[in-house]
Amino acid sequence: AQSVTQLDSQVPVFEEAPVELRCNYSSSVSVYLFWYVQYPNQGLQLLLKYLSGSTLVKGINGFEAEFNKSQTSFHLRKPSVHISDTAEYFCAYTGGFKTIFGAGTRLFVKA
Amino acid sequence: EPEVTQTPSHQVTQMGQEVILRCVPISNHLYFYWYRQILGQKVEFLVSFYNNEISEKSEIFDDQFSVERPDGSNFTLKIRSTKLEDSAMYFCASSDWTGGSPLHFGNGTRLTVT
């Protein structure tokens, strides 16, 4: 079955530390991959997307992700996090007429 | 920047009642979606809509659900005979094409069924 798997449900990290949020996709999914962020009481916002081309994609707020076909991964990274990055992060893929989201990773940035 | 707007932000209803959740997608978008997020759980796909008909729907989207685009701007989700387990955040989204086009989400309607 097509899916994306987010390996960590929660990631606590100190401010200004680097962070990696992990996402693996099943090889049968399309290669349209996304990361979205959800701040409290808001809808989801696009962070970045991979459609084709360069495997390193840069998004908003200093985030980037690398598409790795051999490892079927699309991990999200930021070299130095801020308190304001505390949010829920969702990896997603599109298939047919829908976008399917992973279970989410709660990033909690501590001072 | 254009936004997807949803009304109301919070809806409380009694079990068995009908509710209509409203959305105004971004004006030049062609694809429309409803998603559901039960508190603390994942974002679940309900239905996609294009060219005035359902393109795809999930197993959740059973006969108690329906969608409509009654005019050129609104996109609605109707839930007939609500159940307690329908309590969730309902998000509307739109995109200008399918496949690799990202979704633009509204801020959601929190539905509470008592």
Side-chain angles (χ1 to χ4, degrees), chain A residues 4 30 32 34 36 38 41-46 48-51 88 90 93-104, chain B residues 31 33 35 37 41-45 47-50 55-56 89 91 97-108 110:
Chain A
V4 288
S30 68
Y32 295 151
F34 305 82
Y36 286 82
Q38 184 181 31
N41 301 314
Q42 293 186 27
L44 283 74
Q45 302 173 33
L46 179 71
L48 48 81
K49 62 182 178 182
Y50 174 78
L51 304 183
E88 189 90 18
F90 293 92
Y93 73 93
T94 57
F97 289 96
K98 62 182 183 287
T99 296
I100 299 299
F101 293 87
Chain B
Y31 294 84
Y33 311 82
Y35 284 81
Q37 186 178 33
Q41 297 186 27
K42 66 188 299 183
V43 178
E44 301 174 294
F45 169 77
V47 66
S48 57
F49 191 85
Y50 168 71
S55 306
E56 195 164 350
M89 282 290 288
F91 292 104
W97 56 285
T98 189
S101 178
L103 302 182
H104 295 254
F105 282 84
N107 283 335
R110 180 172 298 283

XYZ file of all heavy atoms in Angstrom, chain A residues 4 30 32 34 36 38 41-46 48-51 88 90 93-104, chain B residues 31 33 35 37 41-45 47-50 55-56 89 91 97-108 110:
504
model
N 3.245 7.169 3.633
C 4.418 7.799 4.188
C 4.420 7.517 5.684
O 3.356 7.467 6.307
C 4.454 9.332 3.929
C 4.737 9.616 2.473
C 3.168 10.003 4.385
N 3.812 8.068 -5.674
C 4.337 9.015 -6.648
C 5.496 9.767 -6.014
O 5.663 9.777 -4.801
C 3.244 10.020 -7.036
O 2.947 10.849 -5.934
N 5.832 12.881 -5.828
C 5.444 14.212 -5.395
C 5.355 14.167 -3.872
O 4.410 13.604 -3.324
C 4.096 14.607 -5.989
C 4.091 14.736 -7.494
C 2.928 14.486 -8.222
C 5.227 15.115 -8.201
C 2.901 14.613 -9.596
C 5.211 15.244 -9.577
C 4.046 14.984 -10.273
O 4.012 15.098 -11.635
N 5.843 16.229 -0.005
C 5.657 17.531 0.614
C 5.931 17.456 2.112
O 5.803 16.402 2.727
C 4.198 18.004 0.443
C 3.702 18.027 -0.979
C 3.247 16.874 -1.590
C 3.677 19.212 -1.691
C 2.784 16.885 -2.897
C 3.210 19.242 -2.998
C 2.769 18.079 -3.596
N 4.403 19.793 5.317
C 3.508 20.859 5.770
C 3.731 21.084 7.256
O 4.119 20.176 7.984
C 2.042 20.464 5.563
C 1.548 20.484 4.132
C 1.796 19.411 3.274
C 0.829 21.564 3.640
C 1.336 19.429 1.958
C 0.364 21.579 2.329
C 0.626 20.507 1.497
O 0.158 20.520 0.209
N 1.785 22.723 10.815
C 0.522 23.154 11.416
C 0.803 23.797 12.762
O 1.231 23.118 13.705
C -0.433 21.973 11.586
C -1.796 22.380 12.124
C -2.734 21.201 12.320
O -2.289 20.078 12.607
N -4.015 21.422 12.164
N -4.203 25.716 16.332
C -5.464 26.321 15.912
C -5.425 26.905 14.502
O -6.162 27.845 14.191
C -5.889 27.420 16.903
C -6.062 26.875 18.302
O -6.686 25.837 18.492
N -5.485 27.545 19.279
N -4.575 26.335 13.663
C -4.506 26.789 12.279
C -4.559 25.598 11.335
O -4.409 24.441 11.749
C -3.218 27.580 12.037
C -3.149 28.901 12.781
C -1.927 29.705 12.394
O -1.398 29.584 11.294
N -1.473 30.547 13.309
N -4.762 25.902 10.066
C -4.668 24.871 9.045
C -3.218 24.572 8.718
O -2.300 25.123 9.316
N -3.018 23.674 7.778
C -1.671 23.289 7.383
C -1.132 24.270 6.354
O -1.863 24.761 5.488
C -1.680 21.877 6.787
C -1.777 20.721 7.781
C -3.168 20.596 8.370
C -1.386 19.412 7.098
N 0.167 24.523 6.438
C 0.841 25.403 5.484
C 1.972 24.633 4.827
O 2.666 23.871 5.493
C 1.454 26.612 6.186
C 0.512 27.479 6.978
C 1.275 28.532 7.756
O 2.320 29.023 7.315
N 0.760 28.895 8.914
N 2.178 24.864 3.556
C 3.256 24.207 2.839
C 4.608 24.751 3.289
O 4.831 25.960 3.331
C 3.096 24.430 1.341
C 4.181 23.810 0.479
C 4.035 22.290 0.461
C 4.133 24.371 -0.945
N 7.638 22.935 2.017
C 8.419 22.691 0.812
C 7.841 21.496 0.067
O 7.013 20.762 0.615
C 9.896 22.445 1.150
C 10.226 21.454 2.256
C 10.184 20.018 1.761
C 11.599 21.759 2.839
N 8.295 21.322 -1.182
C 7.813 20.211 -1.993
C 8.932 19.699 -2.875
O 9.843 20.440 -3.254
C 6.628 20.660 -2.850
C 6.968 21.758 -3.842
C 5.758 22.198 -4.637
C 6.133 23.331 -5.596
N 4.964 23.835 -6.357
N 8.836 18.421 -3.202
C 9.719 17.810 -4.180
C 8.850 17.229 -5.294
O 8.011 16.367 -5.063
C 10.578 16.700 -3.558
C 11.387 15.979 -4.599
C 12.552 16.537 -5.122
C 10.961 14.758 -5.121
C 13.269 15.901 -6.107
C 11.682 14.117 -6.111
C 12.835 14.693 -6.606
O 13.544 14.066 -7.593
N 9.101 17.719 -6.500
C 8.392 17.189 -7.664
C 9.346 16.435 -8.572
O 9.035 15.334 -9.059
C 7.711 18.323 -8.442
C 6.746 19.209 -7.644
C 6.085 20.235 -8.559
C 5.695 18.378 -6.945
N 3.355 21.164 14.676
C 3.212 19.799 14.165
C 3.650 19.821 12.699
O 3.250 20.712 11.936
C 1.749 19.355 14.272
C 1.512 17.903 13.976
C 1.615 17.019 15.213
O 1.536 17.543 16.327
O 1.776 15.791 15.039
N 3.993 17.628 9.080
C 3.427 16.489 8.369
C 4.146 16.273 7.045
O 4.283 17.197 6.239
C 1.944 16.722 8.063
C 1.057 16.766 9.273
C 0.777 17.978 9.894
C 0.510 15.608 9.799
C -0.046 18.028 11.010
C -0.311 15.647 10.910
C -0.593 16.858 11.519
N 2.280 12.884 0.521
C 2.465 12.591 -0.896
C 1.121 12.720 -1.593
O 0.069 12.645 -0.960
C 3.025 11.186 -1.105
C 2.039 10.073 -0.863
C 1.280 9.522 -1.904
C 1.837 9.578 0.421
C 0.364 8.518 -1.675
C 0.916 8.570 0.646
C 0.189 8.042 -0.393
O -0.725 7.047 -0.150
N 1.192 12.921 -2.905
C -0.047 12.956 -3.669
C -0.170 11.688 -4.489
O 0.805 11.162 -5.019
C -0.117 14.159 -4.620
O 1.016 14.121 -5.489
C -0.110 15.446 -3.855
N -1.401 11.222 -4.573
C -1.712 10.051 -5.386
C -3.118 10.208 -5.898
O -4.051 10.412 -5.114
N -3.306 10.158 -7.177
C -4.641 10.364 -7.729
C -5.094 11.789 -7.463
O -4.363 12.747 -7.673
N -6.300 11.902 -6.962
C -6.868 13.218 -6.688
C -6.823 13.533 -5.203
O -7.712 14.212 -4.678
C -8.313 13.275 -7.183
C -8.437 13.283 -8.676
C -8.665 12.114 -9.375
C -8.316 14.468 -9.385
C -8.774 12.123 -10.763
C -8.429 14.495 -10.761
C -8.651 13.321 -11.448
N -5.802 13.076 -4.511
C -5.735 13.364 -3.089
C -4.294 13.456 -2.631
O -3.382 12.940 -3.255
C -6.456 12.272 -2.294
C -5.855 10.892 -2.434
C -6.685 9.877 -1.652
C -6.040 8.498 -1.718
N -6.206 7.887 -3.045
N -4.115 14.175 -1.510
C -2.847 14.219 -0.800
C -3.036 13.457 0.498
O -4.023 13.667 1.210
C -2.440 15.673 -0.509
O -2.221 16.347 -1.760
C -1.159 15.733 0.311
N -2.105 12.559 0.770
C -2.177 11.728 1.971
C -1.068 12.147 2.918
O 0.089 12.294 2.510
C -2.025 10.242 1.620
C -3.160 9.810 0.677
C -2.029 9.387 2.886
C -4.549 9.953 1.259
N -1.437 12.332 4.179
C -0.512 12.832 5.185
C -0.024 11.716 6.102
O -0.758 10.769 6.406
C -1.195 13.915 6.026
C -1.508 15.159 5.243
C -2.700 15.260 4.542
C -0.610 16.202 5.179
C -2.985 16.401 3.789
C -0.883 17.340 4.434
C -2.071 17.443 3.737
N 1.212 11.863 6.564
C 1.715 11.002 7.612
C 1.064 11.362 8.939
O 0.267 12.294 9.032
N 1.441 10.625 9.956
C 0.808 10.791 11.265
C 1.236 12.064 11.977
O 0.619 12.462 12.964
C 1.100 9.586 12.141
N 2.309 12.700 11.498
C 2.756 13.955 12.092
C 3.861 13.763 13.109
O 3.966 12.715 13.762
N -9.495 22.630 -7.911
C -9.655 21.389 -7.158
C -9.944 21.752 -5.705
O -9.274 22.607 -5.124
C -8.391 20.525 -7.244
C -8.118 20.023 -8.640
C -7.450 20.820 -9.570
C -8.546 18.759 -9.051
C -7.214 20.375 -10.854
C -8.312 18.306 -10.336
C -7.641 19.131 -11.236
O -7.423 18.679 -12.504
N -11.073 20.218 -1.662
C -10.909 19.053 -0.801
C -11.486 19.331 0.585
O -11.508 20.466 1.054
C -9.413 18.731 -0.610
C -8.602 18.685 -1.882
C -8.118 19.853 -2.465
C -8.305 17.467 -2.502
C -7.369 19.821 -3.621
C -7.552 17.426 -3.661
C -7.081 18.614 -4.212
O -6.344 18.576 -5.363
N -10.786 17.638 4.488
C -10.008 16.758 5.351
C -10.573 16.853 6.761
O -11.208 17.838 7.139
C -8.530 17.174 5.371
C -7.760 16.781 4.139
C -7.831 17.548 2.974
C -6.969 15.637 4.125
C -7.130 17.185 1.839
C -6.254 15.262 2.992
C -6.339 16.043 1.852
O -5.650 15.677 0.729
N -9.547 16.098 10.999
C -8.506 15.813 11.976
C -9.165 15.680 13.339
O -9.569 16.664 13.951
C -7.443 16.909 12.005
C -6.250 16.599 12.912
C -5.198 17.697 12.878
O -5.504 18.868 12.735
N -3.936 17.318 13.018
N -4.956 13.437 16.386
C -4.722 12.362 15.433
C -4.312 12.920 14.060
O -4.119 14.114 13.893
C -5.964 11.481 15.342
C -6.291 10.802 16.662
C -7.423 9.812 16.530
O -7.658 9.249 15.459
N -8.135 9.585 17.610
N -4.190 12.045 13.118
C -3.675 12.456 11.822
C -4.729 13.178 10.993
O -5.920 13.132 11.278
C -3.131 11.251 11.064
C -4.169 10.224 10.674
C -3.510 8.956 10.107
C -2.703 9.201 8.870
N -2.136 7.953 8.289
N -4.259 13.836 9.959
C -5.131 14.537 9.023
C -5.616 13.517 7.991
O -4.814 12.939 7.261
C -4.364 15.685 8.337
C -5.256 16.391 7.333
C -3.843 16.670 9.386
N -6.924 13.326 7.946
C -7.497 12.275 7.102
C -8.224 12.869 5.891
O -9.038 13.779 6.045
C -8.505 11.447 7.900
C -7.934 10.761 9.130
C -9.030 10.096 9.935
O -9.887 10.823 10.493
O -9.026 8.859 10.013
N -7.967 12.318 4.749
C -8.634 12.732 3.519
C -10.086 12.277 3.541
O -10.389 11.129 3.878
C -7.907 12.123 2.327
C -8.639 12.247 1.021
C -8.673 13.445 0.330
C -9.283 11.145 0.476
C -9.341 13.555 -0.872
C -9.949 11.245 -0.735
C -9.983 12.456 -1.412
N -12.576 13.838 0.826
C -13.114 13.898 -0.519
C -12.387 14.957 -1.335
O -11.891 15.949 -0.789
C -14.631 14.207 -0.460
C -14.862 15.615 0.093
C -15.313 14.040 -1.798
N -12.291 14.728 -2.635
C -11.805 15.755 -3.561
C -12.887 16.012 -4.609
O -13.701 15.123 -4.906
C -10.497 15.333 -4.226
O -10.642 14.113 -4.913
N -12.870 17.195 -5.157
C -13.982 17.667 -5.991
C -13.417 18.488 -7.125
O -12.592 19.380 -6.905
C -14.904 18.531 -5.105
C -16.224 18.895 -5.695
C -17.299 18.039 -5.590
C -16.418 20.128 -6.328
C -18.547 18.388 -6.092
C -17.646 20.490 -6.844
C -18.721 19.607 -6.720
N -13.832 18.159 -8.340
C -13.339 18.885 -9.506
C -14.421 18.902 -10.563
O -15.101 17.886 -10.771
C -12.073 18.211 -10.057
C -11.642 18.712 -11.419
C -11.100 19.978 -11.563
C -11.792 17.908 -12.553
C -10.708 20.449 -12.815
C -11.410 18.382 -13.803
C -10.862 19.643 -13.915
O -10.480 20.114 -15.152
N -14.147 13.684 -7.324
C -13.073 13.001 -8.032
C -12.654 11.735 -7.315
O -12.367 10.714 -7.944
C -11.852 13.922 -8.141
O -12.189 15.156 -8.711
N -12.586 11.842 -6.003
C -12.163 10.704 -5.203
C -12.712 10.891 -3.795
O -12.884 12.016 -3.330
C -10.629 10.636 -5.174
C -10.061 9.332 -4.699
C -8.590 9.155 -5.052
O -8.048 9.961 -5.838
O -7.985 8.202 -4.528
N -11.833 18.515 13.806
C -11.576 19.703 12.989
C -11.760 19.302 11.540
O -11.236 18.267 11.114
C -10.155 20.204 13.196
C -9.934 20.977 14.468
S -10.724 22.595 14.472
C -9.681 23.482 13.341
N -11.106 20.556 7.741
C -10.338 21.507 6.952
C -10.749 21.431 5.491
O -10.833 20.345 4.909
C -8.843 21.213 7.041
C -8.245 21.466 8.397
C -7.930 20.425 9.245
C -7.977 22.768 8.813
C -7.374 20.655 10.493
C -7.419 23.012 10.050
C -7.128 21.947 10.897
N -4.104 22.782 -9.535
C -4.103 21.584 -10.348
C -3.835 20.421 -9.441
O -3.568 20.604 -8.258
C -3.091 21.677 -11.497
C -1.671 21.953 -11.118
C -1.171 23.154 -10.716
C -0.573 21.054 -11.124
N 0.181 23.049 -10.455
C 0.573 21.766 -10.702
C -0.436 19.697 -11.439
C 1.828 21.175 -10.590
C 0.820 19.112 -11.332
C 1.927 19.849 -10.909
N -3.901 19.246 -9.926
C -3.695 18.088 -9.066
C -2.261 17.592 -9.232
O -1.439 18.220 -9.868
C -4.732 17.001 -9.393
O -4.641 15.969 -8.407
C -4.504 16.396 -10.771
N -1.943 16.477 -8.630
C -0.587 15.961 -8.725
C 0.360 16.735 -7.843
O 0.284 16.680 -6.631
N 1.255 17.487 -8.406
C 2.280 18.168 -7.629
C 1.911 19.523 -7.098
O 2.751 20.196 -6.491
N 0.683 19.936 -7.276
C 0.307 21.257 -6.770
C 0.014 21.177 -5.282
O -0.739 20.299 -4.852
C -0.933 21.758 -7.497
O -1.345 23.006 -6.991
N 0.597 22.066 -4.473
C 0.345 22.004 -3.031
C -1.079 22.437 -2.693
O -1.727 23.158 -3.441
C 1.361 22.990 -2.457
C 1.626 23.945 -3.565
C 1.512 23.156 -4.835
N -1.540 21.979 -1.559
C -2.858 22.357 -1.070
C -2.759 23.636 -0.253
O -1.800 23.851 0.484
C -3.431 21.249 -0.187
C -3.574 19.873 -0.815
C -4.211 18.904 0.174
C -4.387 19.937 -2.084
N -3.781 24.457 -0.388
C -3.922 25.659 0.429
C -5.093 25.404 1.376
O -6.216 25.166 0.917
C -4.190 26.877 -0.441
C -3.041 27.209 -1.345
N -2.207 28.282 -1.127
C -2.580 26.597 -2.453
C -1.284 28.319 -2.069
N -1.485 27.309 -2.886
N -4.813 25.465 2.674
C -5.810 25.097 3.673
C -6.453 26.315 4.312
O -5.808 27.349 4.519
C -5.164 24.272 4.796
C -4.909 22.843 4.438
C -3.760 22.482 3.757
C -5.821 21.857 4.789
C -3.522 21.156 3.426
C -5.590 20.519 4.468
C -4.436 20.176 3.794
N -7.711 26.154 4.683
C -8.344 27.097 5.580
C -7.952 26.791 7.021
O -7.242 25.813 7.286
N -8.447 27.628 7.947
C -8.100 27.433 9.355
C -8.984 26.410 10.060
O -8.790 26.129 11.239
C -8.146 28.750 10.109
C -6.918 29.607 9.824
O -5.858 29.100 9.473
N -7.069 30.900 9.949
N -9.952 25.891 9.348
C -10.722 24.788 9.894
C -11.985 25.205 10.625
O -12.132 26.344 11.062
N -14.093 23.692 13.846
C -14.124 22.678 14.919
C -15.567 22.269 15.141
O -16.389 23.080 15.573
C -13.525 23.225 16.207
C -13.547 22.210 17.348
C -12.777 22.682 18.572
N -11.368 22.880 18.291
C -10.484 21.904 18.177
N -10.841 20.642 18.334
N -9.213 22.170 17.913
